[in-house]
């Protein structure tokens, strides 16, 4: 057998995880069984069976059956199951089937809305490249990335995405690793021995799955694929914890159990009362069913679901795609935003910001103040950028910024550079230098750029000059600029082109410094200001260095009134982190690893904060998953980040987050408005049954169970849905974020719903019920059953109760539109959907009252003009009572307090 194609023993299934990429290359080759000819096709196929495809595993979706079971076992659904069972036991088949239909309609509606919201965001594109260049059987060939295995020899060139974690065996690369490290500056990777004591991601000879090659060419031996890669590890980390219910989901469940408990308790108590006062069993069961049905807000779940779904659609048009309906509400209670810097606050596009020369000092670069000719030429000569087919500059973003900042006529300068170039020594990550040799007239000109301290080591400078340069470097760094030094050296006429870089990079003459800057997005400063006005705190959590991140923070207004910078976030212990996050300052967490970001998100959650975490890289995925709201970038973001997130910004605009938070607050307010609206009808629906039970049947039932269902699912639903589209009340973003402990249903809301709106409505509907009966000559205890003289009057009386409840709903809807402001401030016609809903409500009620088929089914009768005249004033009485209450509260409460940044705890 030939030396290079010897069949090696098949690695163990966990060998990929055990392979140590930092060991000497010959040992790694031996361990992975890879020679210069790569693996054989047969060996690659065997390993693929052992290791599985080179893919990051994703969450399995919850089955439809489990989702349906969750809807059917909801506390409110269980309550209706109980009511339906009682109806069948009592022999009321029509009522029983009607209640079952309500359960199924609610479940189907909620499932449909959740499904539509989840489909709003699909994986936008596979993050890994589809094909990779690999050497197998001694031949270079393209294979599916999913088919790569540990031991494969891959070829990586400029523009490629790295298909797996690999160790360079030959050549050198420049990589954009921002999606793993958060650093915007590209890094060099060279086929050199490893460096002891550095983190894996900073090893000079390792490349990682999903990062992008911006320059160079190299061969590399794959040591990890799929879930064993850094990308896979981060994805697994992001899936480690099950998602928790949002505050609204938790609160609605608590309220549902509370309602269920109260309804069952009241049913049992009043069943006993009914038995004591001599009610027949059928009447007692009818009473219990009525109490259960009246207590259950049948429209609550579908109305909340639809309001959140509408919020999802509105936000999608504004540039934010929300994957979970409940996230809309969570956005409204957000009080801390943790944002990445590169690409989120900034444009992820370097530009030449400032230059310094020994003659002129520090000067801000602009179209009028370009770098001096010698500096501009050296900058251009010492680059490898070129034009692609679309005549766009391609290559290292730093070099693109240098070439563009050196002056106009880029095309001509690059053509001149290429014609004069005689040698190039690419950027060396250890030396932190790059140099080129070019022809100038009859001489050779060396141009060198690199880290200031590296260039200075090879420059001829007096001590005072060196001190002056270092002071300039420090000045530029304090502004958050990435500083490069540029030097030249003229070789005498007839000098041969040096073969080694050490013969080039010596006796240099420093001609200047350049400061590069990744500018903030235009809308970010205004967005941060709005966050502060709304009482939100903004922290930066980035892999970049602290000085640069702090400069960006100050430029966009983060750190008001105080900014703290944690230079090495990985070294922060939990107690220090707690102290930082409970203080008043906004914080820059620099040099953050994925675990650090996760630790920050966990710590904020532990302190009761509602956290929105933004990011675009795979390194952000665990924190995006753990935060209440993970916000990924749609354009520049990775697929891993998008999958881990709750919300995707299609415009990559930080300002859209603030719009989303405002939308979340509005949706939450509107959920409270229609909960108030729905709850306000519980009292006028329950009181008729209590009057019937407490009178021992002397007063006939003022409202039937089917009429209650007609109200809760027919007349009530559209106005409730329309309240979900209510415009925001004035000053919504001047309020501090609500505490996460604050329930969606508060004591004040219940007092308003039951004590004001409910009692007034109950008094009004019972008064019209008795008015119709007494007008017909009824006295307590008189028979009103079918075939009796008073039966038609009884039908008209129950119909009047039903119609009175419908008109009271109109007044309640108008009252529910505002919590603080008056209706005049909001405007009577500012919600046309509500007016349309009220119109439908009146038409639906009229159909039930006046159309014979519905009269027979719902037990209604036509109403006379006098009764219609009475119930026509009910909306004004109900709304007027609440408006008086609101006016009195405004008088006694005083002016509203401005929002302040939320404190922990």
């Amino acid at each position: 057998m030939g030396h290079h194609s010897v069949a090696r023993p098949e690695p163990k299934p966990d060998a990929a995880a055990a392979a140590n990429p930092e060991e000497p290359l010959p040992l790694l080759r031996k361990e992975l069984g890879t020679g210069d000819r790569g693996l054989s096709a047969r060996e690659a196929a065997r390993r693929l069976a052992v290791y599985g495809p080179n893919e990051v595993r994703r969450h399995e979706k919850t089955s439809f059956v489990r989702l349906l079971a969750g809807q059917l076992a909801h506390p409110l659904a269980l309550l209706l199951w109980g009511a339906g069972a009682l109806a069948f036991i009592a022999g009321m088949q029509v009522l029983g089937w009607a209640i079952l239909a309500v359960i199924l309609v609610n479940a189907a509606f909620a499932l449909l809305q959740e499904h539509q919201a989840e489909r709003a965001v699909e994986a936008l594109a596979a993050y890994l490249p589809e094909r990779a260049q690999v050497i197998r059987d001694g031949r270079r060939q393209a294979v599916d990335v999913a088919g790569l295995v540990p031991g494969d020899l891959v070829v990586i060139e400029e523009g490629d995405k790295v298909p797996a974690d690999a160790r360079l065996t030959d050549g050198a690369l420049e990589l954009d690793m921002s999606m793993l490290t958060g650093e915007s500056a590209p890094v060099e990777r060279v086929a050199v021995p490893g460096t002891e004591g550095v983190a894996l991601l900073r090893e000079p000879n390792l490349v990682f799955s999903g990062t992008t090659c911006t320059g160079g060419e190299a061969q590399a031996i794959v040591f990890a694929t799929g879930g064993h890669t850094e990308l896979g590890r981060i994805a697994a980390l992001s899936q480690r914890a099950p998602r928790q219910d949002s505050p609204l989901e938790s609160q609605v469940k608590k309220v549902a159990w509370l309602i269920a408990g109260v309804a069952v308790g009241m049913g049992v108590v009043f069943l006993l009362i009914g038995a004591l006062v001599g009610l027949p069993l059928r009447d007692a069961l009818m009473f219990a069913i009525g109490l259960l049905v009246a207590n259950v807000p049948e429209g609550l779940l579908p109305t909340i679901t639809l309001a959140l779904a509408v919020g999802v659609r509105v936000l999608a048009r504004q540039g934010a795609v929300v994957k979970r309906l409940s996230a809309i509400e969570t956005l409204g209670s957000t009080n801390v935003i943790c944002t990445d810097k590169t690409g989120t606050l900034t444009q992820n596009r370097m530009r030449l910001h400032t230059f310094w020369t020994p003659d002129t000092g520090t000067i801000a670069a602009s179209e009028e103040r370009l770098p001096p000719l010698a500096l501009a030429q050296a900058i251009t000569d010492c680059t490898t950028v070129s034009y692609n087919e679309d005549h766009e500059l391609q290559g290292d973003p730093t070099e693109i910024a240098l070439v563009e900042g050196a002056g106009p006529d880029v095309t001509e300068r690059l053509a001149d550079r290429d014609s004069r170039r005689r040698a190039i020594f690419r950027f060396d990550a250890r030396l932190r230098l790059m140099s080129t040799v070019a022809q100038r007239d009859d001489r050779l000109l060396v141009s060198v750029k690199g880290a200031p301290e590296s260039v200075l080591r090879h420059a001829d400078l007096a001590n005072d000059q060196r001190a002056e340069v270092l002071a300039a470097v420090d000045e530029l760094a304090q502004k958050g600029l990435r500083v490069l030094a540029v030097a030249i050296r003229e070789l005498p006429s007839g000098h041969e082109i040096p073969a080694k870089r050490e013969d080039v990079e010596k006796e240099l003459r420093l001609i200047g410094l350049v400061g590069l800057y990744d500018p903030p997005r235009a809308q970010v400063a205004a967005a941060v200001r709005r966050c502060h006005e709304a009482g939100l705190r903004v922290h930066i959590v980035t892999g970049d260095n602290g000085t640069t991140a702090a400069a960006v923070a100050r430029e966009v207004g983060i750190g008001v009134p105080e900014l703290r910078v944690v230079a090495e976030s990985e070294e922060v212990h939990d107690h220090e982190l707690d102290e930082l996050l409970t203080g008043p300052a906004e914080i820059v967490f620099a040099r953050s690893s994925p675990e650090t970001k996760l630790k920050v998100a966990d710590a904020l959650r532990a302190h009761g904060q509602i956290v929105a975490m933004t990011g675009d890289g795979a390194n952000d995925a665990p924190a995006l998953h753990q935060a209440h709201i993970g916000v990924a970038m749609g354009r520049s973001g990775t697929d891993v980040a998008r999958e881990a997130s709750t919300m995707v910004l299609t415009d990559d605009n930080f300002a859209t987050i603030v719009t989303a938070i405002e939308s979340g607050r509005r949706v939450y307010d509107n959920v409270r408005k229609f909960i108030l609206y729905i709850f306000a009808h519980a009292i006028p629906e329950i009181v008729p049954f209590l009057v019937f039970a407490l009178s021992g049947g002397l007063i006939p039932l003022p409202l039937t169970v089917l009429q209650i269902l007609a109200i809760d699912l027919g007349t009530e639903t559209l106005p409730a849905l329309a309240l979900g589209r209510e415009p925001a009340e004035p000053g919504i973003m001047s309020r501090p974020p609500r505490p996460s402990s604050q329930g969606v249903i508060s004591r004040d809301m219940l007092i308003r719903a039951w004590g004001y709106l409910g009692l007034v409505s109950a008094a009004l509907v019972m008064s019209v019920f008795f008015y119709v009966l007494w007008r017909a000559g009824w006295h307590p205890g008189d028979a009103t059953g079918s075939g009796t003289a008073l039966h038609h009057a009884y039908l008209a009386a129950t119909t009047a109760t039903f119609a009175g409840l419908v008109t009271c709903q109109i007044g309640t809807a108008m009252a529910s539109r505002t919590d603080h402001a008056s209706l005049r401030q909001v405007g009577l016609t500012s919600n046309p959907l509500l007016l349309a809903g009220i119109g439908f409500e009146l038409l639906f009620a009229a159909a039930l009252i006046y159309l014979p088929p519905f009269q027979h089914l719902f037990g209604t009768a036509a109403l006379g003009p006098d009764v219609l005249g009475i119930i026509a004033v009910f909306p004004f009485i109900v709304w007027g009572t609440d408006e008086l209450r609101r006016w009195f509260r405004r008088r006694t409460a005083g002016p509203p307090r401005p929002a302040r940044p939320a404190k922990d705890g």
Side-chain angles (χ1 to χ4, degrees):
M1 287 173 133
H3 174 70
H4 294 300
S5 58
V6 171
R8 307 276 179 184
E10 189 176 274
K12 295 177 183 177
D14 62 348
N20 179 9
E22 298 171 281
E23 63 193 3
L25 189 58
L27 199 58
L28 183 67
R29 279 183 179 276
K30 184 177 180 182
E31 188 173 337
L32 291 170
T34 308
D36 294 335
R37 291 170 54 83
L39 300 177
S40 69
R42 289 195 304 277
E43 177 64 18
R46 279 195 292 272
R47 293 190 186 188
L48 187 61
V50 173
Y51 299 122
N54 178 32
E55 295 172 339
V56 176
R57 286 194 182 91
R58 296 187 175 135
H59 266 316
E60 291 182 9
K61 290 191 175 179
T62 309
S63 71
F64 174 78
V65 175
R66 275 188 71 185
L67 289 171
L68 181 62
Q71 294 294 339
L72 296 179
H74 194 279
L76 296 184
L78 293 176
L79 204 55
L80 288 176
W81 283 115
L86 285 178
F88 283 114
I89 291 168
M92 293 174 275
Q93 307 294 328
V94 173
L95 181 59
W97 287 115
I99 292 171
L100 291 185
V102 168
I103 296 169
L104 293 175
V105 167
N106 274 359
F109 191 79
L111 277 177
L112 180 66
Q113 292 300 334
E114 284 283 2
H115 179 65
Q116 285 181 344
E118 283 178 9
R119 284 190 59 191
V121 165
E122 295 292 341
L124 302 180
Y127 190 68
L128 288 173
E130 293 180 0
R131 306 283 281 173
Q133 295 293 321
V134 63
I135 295 172
R136 285 183 182 167
D137 294 317
R139 287 188 304 108
R140 177 169 166 170
Q141 53 192 285
V143 301
D144 287 340
V145 165
L148 285 181
V149 294
D152 258 327
L153 200 58
V154 293
V155 179
I156 305 166
E157 298 174 327
E158 187 176 306
D160 290 348
K161 277 183 178 169
V162 178
D165 288 6
R167 162 89 174 259
L168 295 189
T169 61
D170 181 46
L173 300 173
E174 287 180 339
L175 291 176
D176 175 2
M177 288 184 59
S178 61
M179 52 80 69
L180 276 179
T181 64
E183 295 184 29
S184 53
V187 296
E188 279 285 321
R189 291 292 182 259
V190 190
V192 293
T195 306
E196 283 188 25
V198 301
L200 202 66
L201 286 174
R202 301 191 185 280
E203 274 284 4
N205 55 21
L206 300 185
V207 295
F208 297 94
S209 174
T211 58
T212 306
C213 175
T214 58
E217 181 178 351
Q219 287 187 11
I221 184 169
V222 173
F223 65 83
T225 59
H228 292 298
T229 64
E230 282 294 296
L231 195 69
R233 185 182 66 81
I234 291 168
L237 194 62
S238 74
Q239 295 174 5
R240 72 184 173 95
R243 286 203 185 276
Q244 299 178 4
D245 284 345
S246 78
L248 182 63
E249 287 171 318
S250 304
Q251 289 165 19
V252 167
K253 281 183 181 174
K254 283 180 186 174
V255 169
W257 283 116
L258 177 65
I259 292 170
V262 169
V264 171
M266 287 177 69
V268 170
V269 168
F270 283 102
L271 261 178
L272 294 173
I273 291 173
L276 289 174
V277 298
L279 275 181
L281 180 61
R282 182 183 169 90
D283 286 354
L285 284 174
M286 172 63 84
F287 164 72
I289 295 166
L291 210 54
L292 286 176
V293 173
N295 265 290
V296 175
E298 288 87 356
L300 179 63
L301 292 180
T303 306
I304 287 177
T305 304
L306 191 61
L308 296 177
V310 167
V312 165
R313 286 195 289 273
V314 169
L315 271 181
R317 288 196 293 271
Q318 295 171 333
V321 179
V322 178
K323 295 159 65 177
R324 298 176 69 216
L325 290 182
S326 57
I328 290 285
E329 175 273 332
T330 311
L331 275 164
S333 58
T334 298
N335 47 24
V336 177
I337 298 175
C338 293
T339 175
D340 195 14
K341 179 189 74 69
T342 305
T344 309
L345 295 178
T346 68
Q347 298 172 16
N348 201 13
R349 189 174 184 277
M350 286 279 188
R351 65 180 172 87
L352 180 57
H353 183 276
T354 303
F355 62 86
W356 175 94
T357 66
D359 302 327
T360 60
T362 303
I363 294 177
S366 67
E367 290 180 7
E368 292 79 29
R369 301 300 300 270
L370 294 170
L373 185 60
L375 181 58
Q377 185 170 22
I379 285 172
T380 305
D381 281 357
C382 203
T383 61
T384 58
V385 296
S386 60
Y387 283 102
N388 61 18
E389 295 170 358
D390 299 323
H391 202 70
E392 294 172 341
L393 285 174
Q394 63 180 9
D396 175 12
T398 302
E399 290 194 349
I400 291 174
L402 289 173
V403 168
E404 290 179 335
D409 305 320
V410 175
T411 308
E412 293 174 22
R413 284 189 286 117
L414 292 185
D416 179 60
R417 174 202 70 182
D418 295 340
S419 67
R420 293 188 297 102
R421 179 167 288 170
R422 298 293 177 265
I424 179 169
F425 298 93
R426 293 185 179 275
F427 186 84
D428 187 304
R430 294 162 301 167
L431 299 175
R432 300 176 73 193
L433 292 173
M434 174 187 174
S435 53
T436 61
V437 181
Q439 190 76 42
R440 178 188 281 181
D441 301 326
D442 61 339
R443 297 185 178 190
L444 294 173
L445 179 70
V446 171
S447 300
V448 180
K449 78 171 191 299
E453 56 273 26
S454 300
V455 173
L456 289 177
R457 271 199 296 271
H458 302 279
D460 290 332
L461 284 173
N463 287 339
D464 57 336
Q465 292 173 315
R466 190 176 297 271
E468 183 186 359
V469 173
L470 289 173
V473 169
D474 192 51
E475 178 194 344
L476 296 178
Q478 287 299 319
K479 295 177 180 176
L481 304 179
R482 183 180 179 218
V483 186
L484 294 176
V486 183
I488 60 172
R489 176 187 172 204
E490 289 188 354
L491 299 177
S493 178
H495 197 290
E496 289 187 2
I497 299 169
K500 297 179 180 178
R501 71 185 308 152
E502 52 263 33
D503 295 332
V504 171
E505 295 163 354
K506 64 180 183 180
E507 300 170 11
L508 302 175
R509 177 163 63 90
L510 184 80
I511 58 169
L513 304 171
V514 288
L516 295 154
Y517 191 46
D518 184 7
R521 292 176 178 272
Q523 309 91 337
V524 168
V528 169
R529 196 162 52 248
R530 289 191 72 203
C531 285
H532 290 158
E533 288 168 2
L536 279 81
R537 198 176 296 176
V538 184
H539 302 309
I540 296 178
V541 190
T542 177
D544 225 330
N545 74 72
T547 309
T548 303
V552 171
R554 292 188 183 96
E555 190 165 342
V556 299
I558 294 172
V560 178
E562 183 187 349
L563 183 71
R564 296 280 297 276
V565 180
V566 181
E568 295 293 335
S569 301
E570 291 185 51
E571 296 173 9
V572 175
H573 298 296
D574 284 351
H575 65 276
E576 293 177 83
L577 192 59
D578 290 342
E579 195 175 316
L580 281 166
L581 293 174
T582 51
E586 290 182 320
I587 305 160
V588 171
F589 292 98
R591 298 297 185 203
S592 297
S593 68
E595 288 79 6
T596 313
K597 293 191 173 191
L598 191 59
K599 198 158 68 170
V600 170
D602 280 339
L604 285 165
R605 286 189 77 132
H607 287 287
Q609 301 292 341
I610 305 296
V611 187
M613 175 75 74
T614 78
D616 56 359
N619 63 316
D620 299 319
L624 289 175
H625 185 277
Q626 188 63 7
H628 295 90
I629 298 289
V631 186
M633 301 297 130
R635 289 181 183 172
S636 60
T638 65
D639 197 49
V640 173
R642 290 189 205 110
E643 286 213 350
S645 68
T646 315
M647 184 168 83
V648 179
L649 301 183
T650 57
D651 57 2
D652 284 16
N653 189 347
F654 177 84
T656 306
I657 300 166
V658 185
T659 305
I661 288 171
E662 181 176 3
S663 187
R665 288 188 176 191
R666 180 180 57 78
V667 168
Y668 183 80
D669 280 0
N670 290 350
V671 167
R672 286 174 59 87
K673 286 170 187 175
F674 61 64
I675 289 176
L676 170 73
Y677 171 74
I678 289 169
F679 272 36
H681 306 140
I683 297 298
E685 288 177 1
I686 291 169
V687 164
F689 288 91
L690 297 185
V691 169
F692 165 67
L694 293 174
S695 71
L698 293 176
I699 298 172
L701 198 58
L703 194 65
T704 69
V705 176
L706 278 177
Q707 285 170 355
I708 289 179
L709 285 175
I711 289 168
D712 288 354
L713 290 171
T715 64
E716 185 176 81
T717 304
L718 281 186
L721 294 178
L723 284 171
R725 302 294 295 272
E726 190 69 31
E729 280 192 59
I732 192 170
M733 287 299 278
S734 299
R735 309 196 308 239
R738 70 178 189 278
S740 57
S741 58
Q742 178 184 312
V744 68
I745 298 172
S746 63
R747 188 188 64 177
D748 287 347
M749 178 198 281
L750 293 179
I751 291 171
R752 186 181 174 195
W754 294 341
Y756 288 91
L757 298 168
L759 283 180
V760 170
S761 298
L764 292 173
V765 298
M766 289 308 298
S767 66
V768 78
F769 172 74
F770 286 123
Y771 166 76
V772 173
L773 279 181
W774 282 330
R775 188 188 59 178
W778 170 85
H779 295 92
D782 289 351
T784 55
S786 181
T788 62
L790 287 172
H791 182 60
H792 186 270
Y794 169 67
L795 292 180
T798 58
T799 304
T801 308
F802 167 74
L805 250 171
V806 170
T807 56
C808 284
Q809 280 182 327
I810 297 171
T812 304
M814 286 298 172
S816 301
R817 291 188 62 195
T818 61
D819 187 30
H820 306 285
S822 70
L823 188 59
R824 187 180 67 254
Q825 288 175 279
V826 175
L828 185 66
T829 59
S830 59
N831 188 348
L833 285 173
L834 180 60
L835 300 179
I838 289 169
F840 171 82
E841 178 175 26
L842 292 172
L843 287 173
F844 183 80
L848 264 58
I849 293 169
Y850 292 103
L851 296 181
F854 291 118
Q855 286 179 337
H856 175 71
L857 180 62
F858 287 94
T860 56
L863 297 176
D866 56 333
V867 178
L868 292 175
I870 292 170
I871 64 175
V873 300
F874 286 3
F876 302 100
I877 297 171
V878 172
W879 167 75
T881 305
D882 191 70
E883 192 72 9
L884 280 172
R885 179 199 66 83
R886 199 163 30 241
W887 173 80
F888 181 75
R889 195 177 67 169
R890 283 199 302 272
R891 286 277 309 262
T892 55
R897 289 179 297 174
R900 294 182 181 277
K903 299 286 182 188
D904 295 319

